[in-house]
Amino acid sequence: MKTISILLLAALTGGSLTLAGCGPATRGPQVGQGEIGKEAEFQRRLYVENRVKQLRRVANLSYRLRRHAVALCKDRTRHEFGILALNSRDARGRYASAIRDTLKLGDNARVVAVTEGSPAETAGLQVGDELISVGGKSIDYGARASKAIPAMLKTSGAAPVKFAIDRAGSKMEITVTPVVACRYPVRIVDKDQINAFADGDKIGITTGMIRFAHNDTELGLVVAHELAHNIMGHIDKRKGNAVGGAAIGVVFDVLAALAGVNTGGAFSRLGAQAGAGSFSKSFEAEADYVGLYLMARADMNYRAAPAFWRRMSTINPKSISHASTHPVTPARFLLLKKTIAEIEEKQAKKIALEPNRVAPVSPSNEGEASGFRPAVAD
């Protein structure tokens, strides 16, 4: 045994020496940890700059869509000014110093984004303005500006608000009158996955989706689709369907129990899952349909939107012929093309740009794509 151990140790040692001899064949310049640290901080600033560009791009598209969708949002609206202000307390985590340095944040609230076409832009607020007071009230320097300022504006309702600002050393006052928009905010999710979602209260867009979208038409289509989910109440409907499915499942659990079989609630869970997914493809198709109307109402380039689904098929070829919860990409492309013709017909006749409404579908005819029928025949 001792001999075997010595041989094994020798083999391992020899192996490690052999591996060491397979290293790099050249010797380049040495990079110190201090240099790496400085470059890392510089790259963090580049990341912050890019994220701010993404934020402004998404905010501009979102505001434009939500502003023109008010008639469809009913009472789910809020008053908006179109600014984002931050201070040093908003800078947190490993990127805190990069955020502070890139955006020049201090104790005072600084405007870092002004939405295109918003009341703030119209009134003259600019990126870089420092906010001294809002509506005559001083801003709490101990609070995060991203939380404190929206809370102050929320109480103003539809009334004009006076902003006291410092612009490069010059003090001035600017009055901003808010407008009504659909209340669903859009958040950027730091994930490479090409995805977006709506939860009934807000919209999420991944950084992967933002990179994938070639232009504002494509990204606008994604935002409009998710906004349509919220406007049409799809999340609440799915929850209701899940409850109904679970109730049916309970019946089978009870019957099984009477027969002496303990299912552990398996039928209830299966029923809930089936109920939640019973109209999945229909809801997705409806969000495509309504979303294109939202783009048209916002005077966006909706005619170029269908090409998005052809591009999507190139990175997800399975979606061309199979999709469990969404329509296949050819169906989505063709539905948008037909919807364009429907919208153009209404524009020509000067008819209000509102989606056609019909009786809701049932699971038995879900294959017809959704609970609506495009006005253009096959």
Side-chain angles (χ1 to χ4, degrees):
M1 183 63 74
K2 183 175 182 181
T3 303
I4 294 175
S5 299
I6 292 173
L7 290 174
L8 180 59
L9 178 62
L12 290 173
T13 304
S16 65
L17 290 174
T18 302
L19 290 173
C22 296
T26 62
R27 183 178 178 83
Q30 299 300 300
V31 179
Q33 290 301 314
E35 296 174 291
I36 293 174
K38 290 181 180 179
E39 177 60 21
E41 186 62 17
F42 179 78
Q43 292 184 18
R44 290 189 187 99
R45 293 182 187 180
L46 291 178
Y47 167 82
V48 172
E49 290 176 359
N50 185 60
R51 175 51 62 87
V52 171
K53 289 179 182 178
Q54 291 177 336
L55 186 152
R56 290 170 180 166
R57 180 186 177 195
V58 170
N60 291 340
L61 290 171
S62 165
Y63 172 80
R64 188 171 171 182
L65 287 163
R66 292 183 296 107
R67 177 76 181 99
H68 290 87
V70 171
L72 301 178
C73 284
K74 299 178 181 178
D75 59 341
R76 292 163 291 179
T77 61
R78 69 181 185 185
H79 291 95
E80 295 208 8
F81 292 81
I83 65 166
L84 172 64
L86 305 175
N87 60 14
S88 59
R89 287 165 182 77
D90 286 301
R92 299 185 172 192
R94 71 172 64 180
Y95 295 97
S97 61
I99 293 172
R100 286 194 297 267
D101 294 342
T102 303
L103 301 178
K104 298 179 174 59
L105 300 181
D107 290 334
N108 294 349
R110 181 181 290 272
V111 176
V112 299
V114 179
T115 305
E116 292 179 0
S118 68
E121 183 185 62
T122 301
L125 280 173
Q126 299 178 9
V127 170
D129 288 345
E130 288 191 0
L131 303 182
I132 302 171
S133 66
V134 175
K137 297 180 181 179
S138 298
I139 300 168
D140 182 5
Y141 291 148
R144 294 169 62 185
S146 63
K147 302 287 186 182
I149 294 175
M152 296 170 72
L153 294 175
K154 189 175 182 179
T155 62
S156 66
V161 175
K162 188 174 294 183
F163 290 79
I165 68 169
D166 183 325
R167 180 176 296 169
S170 298
K171 304 291 193 300
M172 62 183 72
E173 290 186 343
I174 294 178
T175 300
V176 181
T177 302
V179 295
V180 177
C182 293
R183 70 184 182 196
Y184 308 109
V186 181
R187 302 284 185 259
I188 295 177
V189 181
D190 203 354
K191 289 186 177 180
D192 291 332
Q193 182 183 12
I194 299 174
N195 198 14
F197 64 86
D199 65 4
D201 294 316
K202 59 183 179 297
I203 295 167
I205 307 289
T206 65
T207 50
M209 177 62 81
I210 294 174
R211 288 192 295 269
F212 176 76
H214 271 183
N215 48 49
D216 285 352
T217 294
E218 293 191 348
L219 188 57
L221 175 66
V222 175
V223 176
H225 173 92
E226 301 304 333
L227 178 58
H229 272 311
N230 284 344
I231 289 175
M232 301 308 295
H234 289 164
I235 289 75
D236 288 339
K237 290 177 181 178
R238 283 172 179 161
K239 291 177 180 177
N241 292 340
V243 171
I248 295 173
V250 168
V251 175
F252 288 95
D253 285 328
V254 171
L255 291 174
L258 292 174
V261 179
N262 182 4
T263 64
F267 285 115
S268 298
R269 290 191 295 273
L270 288 173
Q273 293 173 5
S278 60
F279 287 94
S280 179
K281 291 183 180 180
S282 294
F283 287 153
E284 293 300 330
E286 185 171 59
D288 285 346
Y289 175 66
V290 175
L292 203 65
Y293 267 89
L294 298 180
M295 291 184 72
R297 291 172 68 94
D299 197 25
M300 299 175 72
N301 186 19
Y302 67 92
R303 293 178 180 86
F308 174 85
W309 292 115
R310 284 183 169 173
R311 279 214 315 120
M312 184 64 77
S313 70
T314 65
I315 64 166
N316 184 18
K318 289 183 179 180
S319 66
I320 298 174
S321 56
H322 175 74
S324 59
T325 59
H326 292 60
V328 293
T329 50
R332 303 185 83 165
F333 172 86
L334 293 171
L335 174 60
L336 291 187
K337 293 290 286 186
K338 287 175 179 279
T339 305
I340 289 171
E342 181 179 300
I343 291 172
E344 289 179 337
E345 183 179 353
K346 289 181 180 180
Q347 289 173 328
K349 295 180 179 179
K350 300 188 183 304
I351 299 174
L353 293 183
E354 294 187 1
N356 296 334
R357 293 183 179 272
V358 298
V361 297
S362 64
S364 62
N365 65 1
E366 187 181 5
E368 295 181 1
S370 73
F372 60 85
R373 296 180 189 274
V376 181
D378 291 329

